[in-house]
Amino acid sequence: LVVVWLLTISLCALSSEDVLSKDAGECAICLEELQQGDTIARLPCLCIYHKGQVFYEWFEVNRSCPEHPSD
């Protein structure tokens, strides 16, 4: 159930909350810096990642947050 919920959250349409308001360190999926204005995906655990092809490819294979894999 959690796996389906995470995947559903990751595939939701963009909203105004999907744009990063301030720099936030490194994206654990693509390893690029998260910078203000970047389009992001926010998971239920509140971790954020760049939203894009690499993000979708990660969740096709892993189906979990890379920072909280056991959640």
Side-chain angles (χ1 to χ4, degrees):
L1 184 59
V2 172
V3 171
V4 172
W5 186 51
L6 284 174
L7 186 58
T8 301
I9 294 297
S10 70
L11 298 176
C12 290
L14 292 175
S15 71
S16 60
E17 295 178 351
D18 290 317
V19 176
L20 195 58
S21 61
K22 63 180 182 178
D23 294 354
E26 184 180 75
C27 173
I29 294 177
C30 73
L31 306 179
E32 297 289 328
E33 291 296 313
L34 289 158
Q35 298 179 344
Q36 181 178 359
D38 286 351
T39 302
I40 59 166
R42 187 179 314 269
L43 300 182
C45 59
L46 302 181
C47 290
I48 57 173
Y49 305 99
H50 284 114
K51 195 168 194 176
Q53 187 63 32
V54 175
F55 174 80
Y56 293 115
E57 289 172 2
W58 171 272
F59 282 98
E60 284 180 19
V61 174
N62 297 288
R63 310 264 184 191
S64 65
C65 173
E67 296 177 70
H68 303 104
S70 62
D71 288 353

